[in-house]
């Protein structure tokens, strides 16, 4: 009798330790998600404050595409993360799939897909501007620009709509490993693979081809200008500084997630707990990295952001603005932007277009 009691007590202790370990892991994961969400939200709110008005050196079409990208990235912090954290707090893990989890999974997949399509449309716009500069106005009209943006937002809604229907062809479950409502791709391998073929691979192909062509053209142009003594050796390599980090961040953030999804669909088994957590939430960090690569390395963007801070400080706390000497620098900022407008665009999305059109 006593050995049985000791065995039962040992089993209870093991269960309690396992639950305590799960709670500790869950607390760490929630903290990571919250910190990442705050970083993404603050970064993209700052971007929206700046590009909601004109920025020197950025065309109207570029601003439209970048606003679309910023909105998609902001959805990570304002929609995806709060919804999944809310479900993780409300849902009983012993329960099966429900309508709420289907809706959350649909929002997750839609935002992820929209971000990839938006990045692909930005690469396409850059490619047209570089290789067809004289036809750019005719090819990239305002109507076509808005149609491309609408496609990037609406096509994922239609393509991923089966996820939102409980009892449909895609089952959804809440993953305690990643704290996300995930579609059970293993239940429909053909649909899972078709999603990958219609979203990740086309967007990756467009981005890789367009950015690689632009990078090669910029390199040839730089060598040609240097050969004729028209380029300064100290001038930064704009293409390498913008295009290479953008593509490296894209593949680093998105490839593990797509690989894990294909692995789950084909093998029917899941990856380890922390591996799943990392690969599921890693694409959201691309929403913060986009702020750095597309905006913060742009001199005009930084100057405009500084000007916005000055205006806010003057409106909310004039004493602080006077103590920092911002009250007298606002007018000087406007004249500096007019003078340095062309040079400051060298690290923006349209920077390579300007560099190559000089020849």
């Amino acid at each position: 009798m006593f050995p049985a009691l000791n065995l039962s007590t040992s089993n209870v202790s093991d269960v309690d330790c396992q639950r305590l370990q799960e709670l500790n892991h869950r607390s760490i994961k929630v903290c990571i998600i919250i910190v990442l969400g705050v970083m993404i939200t603050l970064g993209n709110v700052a971007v929206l404050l700046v590009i909601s008005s004109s920025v020197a050196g950025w065309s109207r079409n570029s601003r439209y595409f970048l606003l679309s990208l910023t909105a998609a990235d902001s959805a990570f912090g304002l929609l995806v993360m709060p919804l999944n954290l809310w479900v993780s707090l409300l849902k009983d893990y012993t329960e099966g799939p429900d309508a709420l989890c289907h809706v959350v999974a649909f929002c997750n997949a839609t935002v992820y897909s929209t971000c990839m399509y938006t990045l692909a449309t930005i690469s396409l716009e850059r490619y047209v501007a570089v290789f067809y500069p004289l036809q750019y106005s005719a090819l990239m009209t305002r109507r076509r620009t808005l149609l491309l943006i609408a496609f990037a937002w609406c096509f994922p809604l239609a393509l991923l709509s089966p996820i939102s229907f409980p009892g449909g062809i895609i089952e959804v479950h809440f993953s305690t490993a990643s704290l996300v409502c995930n579609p059970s791709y293993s239940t429909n391998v053909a649909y899972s693979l078709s999603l990958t073929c219609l979203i990740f691979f086309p967007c990756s192909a467009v981005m890789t081809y367009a950015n690689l062509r632009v990078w090669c053209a910029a390199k040839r142009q730089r060598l040609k200008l240097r050969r004729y003594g028209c380029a300064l050796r100290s001038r930064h390599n704009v293409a390498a500084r913008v295009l290479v980090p953008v593509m490296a961040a894209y593949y680093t953030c998105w490839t593990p997630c797509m690989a894990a999804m294909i692995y789950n669909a084909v093998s029917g088994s899941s990856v380890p707990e922390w591996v799943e957590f990392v690969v599921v939430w890693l694409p959201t960090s691309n929403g913060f990295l986009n702020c750095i690569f597309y905006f913060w390395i742009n001199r005009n963007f930084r100057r405009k952001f500084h000007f916005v801070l000055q205006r806010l400080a003057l409106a909310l706390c004039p004493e602080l603005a006077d103590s920092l000497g911002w009250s007298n620098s606002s007018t000087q900022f406007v004249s500096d932007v007019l003078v340095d407008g062309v040079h400051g665009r060298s690290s923006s999305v349209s920077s390579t277009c300007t560099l190559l059109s000089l020849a």
Side-chain angles (χ1 to χ4, degrees), residues 235-300:
R235 184 172 182 176
H236 296 290
N237 189 340
V238 176
R241 191 175 60 175
V242 178
L243 302 182
V244 174
V246 165
M247 293 305 303
Y250 172 80
Y251 279 110
T252 301
C253 293
W254 291 98
T255 303
C257 181
M258 297 298 109
M261 189 178 73
I262 295 175
Y263 173 79
N264 292 341
V266 174
S267 66
S269 59
S270 60
V271 296
E273 175 186 356
W274 279 98
V275 174
E276 178 181 342
F277 176 79
V278 171
V279 300
V280 168
W281 288 104
L282 188 60
T284 61
S285 62
N286 196 213
F288 177 73
L289 295 177
N290 287 334
C291 296
I292 298 175
F293 298 140
Y294 282 100
F295 302 101
W296 292 108
I297 62 174
N298 183 350
R299 180 184 177 186
N300 273 347

Side-chain angles (χ1 to χ4, degrees), residues 19 22 66 77 179 190 204 235 292 303 322 333 337 345:
R19 289 181 178 177
E22 291 178 355
L66 294 175
L179 302 183
S204 301
R235 184 172 182 176
I292 298 175
R303 292 170 63 84
D322 291 336
F333 168 82
V337 167
R345 68 184 297 182

Side-chain angles (χ1 to χ4, degrees), residues 67-84:
L67 280 171
S68 176
L69 176 63
T70 305
D73 290 339
S74 300
F76 284 132
L78 298 177
L79 184 64
V80 171
M81 294 178 176
L83 282 178
N84 287 279

Side-chain angles (χ1 to χ4, degrees), residues 302-323:
R302 297 195 303 269
R303 292 170 63 84
K304 184 64 178 292
F305 179 72
H306 187 233
F307 176 68
V308 171
L309 288 183
Q310 291 179 1
R311 295 293 298 271
L312 290 176
L314 286 172
L316 300 178
C317 188
E319 295 81 3
L320 177 62
D322 291 336
S323 62

